[in-house]
C-alpha cells in the first residue's frame, strides 16, 4: 500500500484531530445532514480536549458545500488551528462520523479504507498516443498525456507496391508510438508508485504497448477490452474491470506477503535470533526504534492495534513503558495507540504497509501487528534487548 502522501502529517507537532465523515448522501437533505455530522464531530472533539482554533478549522472543512461528484467520504486531519490534510474518499467510512483527539494522527481507519483501493494507473490508448489517469484511495486525477506521430496512421486497401510500402510506414508509426507510450507508462507508474497498470483502448496498440513494458516494472499490468481514449467513450465497464483487477491484486499480494511473513518469523518457542520477521508490540517497538521495519502488517481486529505505547517527537522515539526515557528522548512523552505509533515509524523510513484482512484463518500476525525486517536480529542484540 503506497502511503507516502501521508508523510506531511508528521512535519509538525500534535496533538491531532482526525475525523472521518460519510458524505455519500445525495438527496435533498444532504447539505443539512453534512452540517449536522460536522457539528457532532466537532462537539465530540471538544469533549476530548480539542482546542477552539482547531475545532473551527475542522468545522469549516467538514461543512464545506457542495462536495465533489463521486466523493462518498472524507478524512480530515488538523493540528494547532490548521487543516493539514483533507482527503476525499472513494470508499464510505464504516461509521457516519469518527473523531479522535490524540498525540498522533489516527490513521487506522484510513488504512482500512485505502487497503481496498490500491494505486492504479489507467492508460487510455489509441494509435497516436495515450491519456494517463491515476486512481488512488483519494480519487482519480490526470497523470499526463503521450502524443506520438500522427502520420501515417491509417492503412489503405490498394495492393500496389507503393501502397504496400505506405502500409509498412503506417505499421512503423504504430510501433514507434507504442514504444513511446510504453516508456511513458513505465516512468509514470514508477514515479507515482502505482501498484497496478490497466491498459485500455485500441486492441492492437494496447497489446503492443504491453509487450514493450520493461520486464522489471514493479506494477502488475492487465488489459481491459472496455473504455477508450475518444471523447464520450463509455467507461462503466472499464470501471468494473479496474475493480476486478484491484481485487485480484489485493488477494494475490496479501497471500504472497503473508507467506513471506510466515517463512521469515521464528518458529513457535524458538529464539528470535536470525528471524527476518517479528510480531508483538515489544518486538515491533524495538524494530521501529532501529529502523528495521521493511513492511508493517496490520490486522485491524487484532488486540495489539489499540494497545497503548509512549511516543516522543520523532518517529523512532517510541517505547512500551513511559519510564523508558532513554528511548523517548523526551521527559514528557505522550500516550498513543500502537498501530498509529508504528505507522508513523514505518512511513518515516519508507516502509510498506499491508492490511491483513480479518478473514485470514490462522490469525497472522499474532495480536494483529507484525513486520518483515530489513535485517534479522542476531543473538547478541536479542540478549541485550532481553536484559
Amino acid at each position: 500500500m503506497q502511503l507516502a502522501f501521508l508523510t506531511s502529517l508528521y512535519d509538525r507537532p500534535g496533538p491531532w484531530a482526525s475525523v472521518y465523515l460519510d458524505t455519500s448522501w445525495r438527496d435533498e437533505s444532504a447539505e443539512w445532514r453534512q452540517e449536522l455530522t460536522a457539528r457532532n464531530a466537532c462537539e465530540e472533539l471538544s469533549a476530548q480536549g480539542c482546542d477552539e482554533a482547531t475545532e473551527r478549522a475542522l468545522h469549516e472543512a467538514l461543512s464545506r458545500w457542495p462536495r465533489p461528484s463521486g466523493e462518498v467520504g472524507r478524512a480530515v486531519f488538523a493540528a494547532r488551528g490548521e487543516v493539514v490534510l483533507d482527503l476525499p474518499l472513494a470508499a464510505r467510512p464504516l461509521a457516519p462520523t469518527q473523531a479522535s483527539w490524540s498525540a498522533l494522527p489516527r490513521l487506522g481507519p484510513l488504512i482500512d479504507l485505502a487497503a481496498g483501493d490500491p494505486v492504479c494507473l489507467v492508460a487510455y490508448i489509441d494509435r497516436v498516443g495515450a491519456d494517463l489517469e491515476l486512481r488512488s484511495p483519494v480519487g482519480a486525477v490526470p497523470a499526463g498525456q503521450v502524443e506520438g506521430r500522427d502520420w501515417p496512421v491509417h492503412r489503405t486497401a490498394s495492393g500496389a507496391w507503393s501502397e504496400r510500402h505506405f502500409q509498412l510506414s503506417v505499421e512503423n508509426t504504430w510501433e514507434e508510438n507504442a514504444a513511446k507510450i510504453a516508456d511513458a507508462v513505465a516512468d509514470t507508474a514508477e514515479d507515482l508508485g502505482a501498484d497496478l497498470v490497466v491498459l485500455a483502448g485500441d486492441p492492437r496498440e494496447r497489446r503492443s504497448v504491453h509487450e514493450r513494458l520493461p520486464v522489471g516494472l514493479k506494477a502488475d499490468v492487465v488489459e481491459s477490452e472496455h473504455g477508450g481514449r475518444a471523447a464520450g467513450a463509455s467507461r462503466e465497464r472499464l470501471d468494473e474491470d479496474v475493480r476486478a483487477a484491484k481485487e485480484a491484486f489485493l488477494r494475490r499480494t496479501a497471500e504472497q506477503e503473508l507467506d513471506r511473513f510466515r517463512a521469515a518469523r521464528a518458529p513457535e518457542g524458538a529464539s528470535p535470533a536470525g528471524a527476518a520477521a517479528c510480531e508483538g508490540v515489544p518486538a515491533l517497538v524495538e524494530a521501529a526504534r532501529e529502523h528495521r521495519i521493511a513492511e508493517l502488517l496490520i490486522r485491524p481486529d487484532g488486540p495489539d492495534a489499540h494497545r497503548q505505547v509512549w511516543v516522543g517527537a520523532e518517529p523512532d522515539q517510541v517505547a512500551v513503558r513511559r519510564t523508558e526515557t532513554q528511548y523517548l528522548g523526551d521527559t514528557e512523552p505522550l500516550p498513543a495507540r500502537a498501530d498509529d505509533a508504528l505507522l508513523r515509524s514505518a512511513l518515516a523510513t519508507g516502509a510498506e504497509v499491508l492490511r491483513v484482512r480479518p478473514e485470514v484463518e490462522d490469525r497472522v500476525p499474532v495480536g494483529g501487528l507484525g513486520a518483515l525486517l530489513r535485517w534479522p536480529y542476531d543473538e547478541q542484540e536479542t540478549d541485550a534487548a532481553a536484559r
Side-chain angles (χ1 to χ4, degrees):
M1 191 187 307
Q2 302 289 337
L3 299 172
F5 66 95
L6 296 174
T7 54
S8 63
L9 293 176
Y10 303 114
D11 292 341
R12 64 195 72 201
W16 285 87
S18 308
V19 179
Y20 296 86
L21 193 71
D22 186 339
T23 61
S24 62
W25 312 298
R26 291 293 180 264
D27 57 20
E28 62 276 3
S29 68
E31 184 175 3
W32 171 81
R33 292 174 69 181
Q34 183 167 310
E35 167 61 31
L36 178 63
T37 54
R39 189 164 63 246
N40 290 342
C42 290
E43 289 175 356
E44 185 176 344
L45 287 167
S46 180
Q48 295 178 41
C50 179
D51 62 274
E52 291 185 4
T54 301
E55 187 182 333
R56 284 195 300 271
L58 270 169
H59 183 270
E60 181 181 349
L62 293 170
S63 59
R64 191 174 298 129
W65 189 265
R67 287 302 192 190
S69 175
E71 177 192 290
V72 296
R74 204 149 200 97
V76 185
F77 304 89
R80 298 176 180 255
E82 181 183 358
V83 171
V84 180
L85 200 59
D86 185 352
L87 302 173
L89 299 175
R92 290 178 60 186
L94 299 179
T97 309
Q98 300 175 67
S100 63
W101 178 248
S102 52
L104 299 177
R106 180 75 190 97
L107 294 183
L110 185 62
I111 300 305
D112 282 348
L113 296 168
D117 197 9
V119 178
C120 177
L121 181 67
V122 181
Y124 301 94
I125 299 169
D126 63 19
R127 293 180 181 180
V128 296
D131 296 324
L132 307 182
E133 176 185 73
L134 189 72
R135 300 189 183 190
S136 75
V138 296
V141 294
Q145 194 173 58
V146 186
E147 293 297 342
R149 291 171 53 196
D150 59 4
W151 190 91
V153 293
H154 300 294
R155 285 173 166 170
T156 63
S158 171
W161 178 88
S162 59
E163 293 304 321
R164 290 197 300 272
H165 181 72
F166 180 79
Q167 289 174 16
L168 181 61
S169 297
V170 169
E171 293 189 11
N172 287 340
T173 299
W174 292 348
E175 298 304 320
E176 288 177 19
N177 289 348
K180 187 173 183 178
I181 294 168
D183 288 343
V185 167
D187 290 344
T188 304
E190 186 72 22
D191 291 344
L192 299 180
D195 301 302
L196 179 67
V197 172
V198 175
L199 306 177
D202 181 89
R204 185 190 189 282
E205 198 69 4
R206 71 167 188 261
R207 195 174 309 112
S208 187
V209 169
H210 196 165
E211 291 170 353
R212 284 165 173 75
L213 289 172
V215 174
L217 184 65
K218 294 180 181 178
D220 284 10
V221 182
V222 298
E223 294 185 40
S224 170
E225 298 180 355
H226 307 111
R229 196 182 183 204
S234 173
R235 297 185 178 178
E236 183 176 344
R237 296 183 70 181
L238 171 63
D239 292 342
E240 294 175 1
D241 289 346
V242 170
R243 281 192 291 272
K246 287 181 176 181
E247 279 296 318
F249 171 84
L250 288 170
R251 286 194 301 271
R252 185 169 59 255
T253 300
E255 290 168 1
Q256 291 171 350
E257 295 307 294
L258 285 173
D259 285 345
R260 285 181 61 205
F261 178 81
R262 293 184 187 101
R265 67 181 178 177
E268 187 175 355
S271 166
C278 67
E279 54 199 327
V281 172
L284 286 162
V285 163
E286 182 183 349
R289 287 197 297 253
E290 298 173 350
H291 301 185
R292 289 177 183 264
I293 296 177
E295 181 171 14
L296 180 66
L297 284 68
I298 300 178
R299 201 182 75 230
D301 63 333
D304 282 351
H306 52 77
R307 180 172 166 178
Q308 180 177 284
V309 297
W310 293 86
V311 297
E314 300 299 324
D316 56 2
Q317 292 176 339
V318 55
V320 176
R321 290 175 289 275
R322 190 182 191 279
T323 53
E324 296 176 316
T325 54
Q326 73 271 28
Y327 300 125
L328 293 166
D330 194 333
T331 57
E332 294 296 330
L334 296 170
R337 287 176 56 117
D339 56 354
D340 287 333
L342 292 169
L343 276 167
R344 179 178 70 157
S345 298
L347 293 173
T349 57
E352 297 289 331
V353 177
L354 175 70
R355 176 190 179 270
V356 180
R357 297 189 175 195
E359 59 267 24
V360 172
E361 294 181 0
D362 57 2
R363 317 305 287 171
V364 173
V366 173
L369 295 174
L372 287 161
L373 304 175
R374 289 193 166 100
W375 63 91
Y377 291 105
D378 62 35
E379 194 73 52
Q380 202 170 29
E381 290 170 333
T382 303
D383 291 344
R387 290 196 298 270

